[in-house]
Amino acid sequence: MTSRDSIDIAFKDLFDKEYGKLCRYALTYVRDMHLAEDVVQDTFIKIWEQKRELISSEDIRFYLITAVRNNSISMLRKQNKEQLHYTEEIQEPEPETFITSSQMREEATDRAARVNDALNRLPTKCREVFLLIKLHGMSYKQAAENLGISTKTVENQMGKAIKIFRDIAVSHSVIFFLSLMLREWHSIFINLLK
Amino acid sequence: MDDQIYEIVAKTLNGESTGEEKARLQSWLNADPLNKKEYEEIKMLWQDAEEVLTKPEFDATVAWEKVNRQIGYSAIEESHKRKGKTINLSVTIKLLAAAAVLVLGIFLLRPFMEDGLKEVVAVHGNESITLPDNSHVLLRKGSTLKYPAEFKGGKRQIALKGEAFFDVTRNEQQPFIIDAEAVEVKVLGTSFNVNCGQKKAIVTVASGKVQVSKGRDKVILEKGQEGIYTAGKLVKGNAVSNGYMYWQTGTVKYDLVPFASVISDLSKILAINIKIDESVAVDLQEKPIAIEFKKSTIKQILDDVCLITGCKWSYINNEYIISKP
């Protein structure tokens, strides 16, 4: 087998393994399934054309994730610019939730709706960290390196994410919510007595 | 303190917590049954998130075909580039050539500039365009439409590269003419789809009459008919489906169309190779079927087709093959 063939195979494997995940990742930025696919496909093509030597390296996955993120952001920027210029020609995109597709919405259970609610409430930086860890399965250290931040910041952001998840979980469980409130009032009351 | 416990909870759920942190979490959990309940609720939602993040699904097979095709092109370009490098032009010749191109360019573009010709390229998605005569065009992603700011003279002349659906305002005094690469399309007022390339073109009529011509050859099409130009010949036939709707709305409908025709039409619409294997009996291939697709993936489409015909499908060497089970 020539090295050219083995790169071909490595590239196809990489594509099969990462395509769906990367599309879902791009989707969180561009909010349109077609655009997300365009961004991911273009990224793969660019890697083939310009960074072929990276394909069989171990870091390629991280490189891809960063590239898809950057390309999604620049795609968004480009679109916003165009919309400023040709507002009358471009139709307003439908407002989309975190995970799009009508199919998804139809079968969205109450639980999925709660998750979407939580995901939509994550602040930008927090969501970035969250997706690297939960969607791409990175460790805290890998996520920190990928975003150029400290591991401590990653811990911080993930704590924030958990807190938002907790708020949503709690607000959906009325009895639980009430008992938590009672506990807080109780401690305030006791503090007042002191 | 409170916020720190959430960081520890996060680390625990991600398998990142240290022994010390585990102990701290444990004592927090033991301190109050409500804490425990809170932890359970978070954990449940956290696990639900994992499931939500596996959706929606994307079709990697179709995407790979596109990417692979693109890569194939760039490989060809690359070999051209390599060849190109051996020719070393002197700087003077390059400058002269550049000047010549510039002069020629200005000369060629001048009539267009005077006309105020507009060019729309649908880059990010299908684009809806209203022409000066109020005719409506839906330009398919990746296609280009050129038209003047105002239609003057005896005709409404525009140019298309790629695919578009036209709904032309009727004006018998001023025919509407499309320069559609390989062919020319002429109408008075109707709606129709044009899909054109340099060597191939298909025009499908949704309402009214349309004339398609190539040099001296011409065909006149009516509702439900299509004109196909390929391999230097222009022919007219009946359209099997409203397949031109597929790129606009993601829908296509077959009303008692022979199985084999449905498959060849789907191949065309979806731009993929689908074949019926010899193992499928001829009378089944000719059996009329009625089927409709709405925003289905290729997999769903093939599954449905196989379900009603009792066949199965497989994907081998960039080809979808339908065979007897």
Side-chain angles (χ1 to χ4, degrees), chain B residues 195-228:
Chain B
N195 180 359
C196 62
Q198 286 177 354
K199 291 180 180 162
K200 257 176 108 172
I202 304 175
V203 178
T204 319
V205 179
S207 71
K209 272 187 189 172
V210 175
Q211 174 189 299
V212 181
S213 58
K214 171 74 184 176
R216 263 190 251 160
D217 284 346
K218 65 179 163 190
V219 290
I220 295 190
L221 309 170
E222 289 180 20
K223 185 181 173 181
Q225 292 184 319
E226 62 185 6
I228 300 178

Side-chain angles (χ1 to χ4, degrees), chain A residues 7-175:
Chain A
I7 289 181
D8 279 357
I9 291 170
F11 189 63
K12 172 82 164 64
D13 282 349
L14 186 69
F15 189 89
D16 285 344
K17 229 168 108 194
E18 301 295 330
Y19 184 72
K21 230 187 270 176
L22 288 170
C23 285
R24 289 193 284 280
Y25 187 47
L27 184 60
T28 65
Y29 290 92
V30 300
R31 310 273 166 135
D32 173 285
M33 287 180 75
H34 290 294
L35 277 186
E37 290 203 78
D38 281 354
V39 166
V40 175
Q41 288 170 13
D42 285 348
T43 308
F44 270 101
I45 291 166
K46 264 184 219 148
I47 284 186
W48 178 263
E49 287 171 346
Q50 293 159 15
K51 301 270 174 203
R52 207 170 301 173
E53 68 281 1
L54 276 181
I55 288 169
S56 3
S57 86
E58 278 175 30
D59 292 338
I60 182 66
R61 214 168 67 83
F62 301 127
Y63 183 87
L64 256 175
I65 291 167
T66 311
V68 166
R69 181 171 64 238
N70 292 340
N71 292 344
S72 300
I73 292 168
S74 55
M75 165 75 88
L76 265 187
R77 232 177 253 145
K78 214 161 76 188
Q79 267 198 316
N80 288 342
K81 238 190 215 163
E82 273 165 19
Q83 269 171 354
L84 282 183
H85 289 300
Y86 308 110
T87 32
E88 73 282 6
E89 283 177 27
I90 293 173
Q91 291 169 339
E92 272 292 305
E94 231 180 277
E96 299 279 13
T97 52
F98 188 84
I99 304 294
T100 51
S101 116
S102 53
Q103 194 188 342
M104 179 59 201
R105 244 172 272 141
E106 276 166 28
E107 52 187 60
T109 57
D110 186 36
R111 281 159 75 190
R114 270 159 59 188
V115 172
N116 276 329
D117 192 10
L119 295 176
N120 284 320
R121 278 201 221 171
L122 300 183
T124 316
K125 198 83 212 164
C126 183
R127 176 191 288 192
E128 262 174 13
V129 173
F130 175 87
L131 287 171
L132 291 184
I133 288 167
K134 287 292 274 183
L135 176 67
H136 294 296
M138 286 191 190
S139 69
Y140 276 27
K141 195 160 161 268
Q142 287 167 333
E145 273 168 20
N146 191 273
L147 291 172
I149 55 180
S150 70
T151 319
K152 190 70 215 150
T153 313
V154 172
E155 284 179 19
N156 239 303
Q157 296 292 349
M158 286 306 278
K160 242 188 226 170
I162 281 282
K163 215 175 160 199
I164 288 166
F165 269 74
R166 175 250 185 208
D167 289 345
I168 291 201
V170 166
S171 69
H172 281 265
S173 165
V174 178
I175 295 178

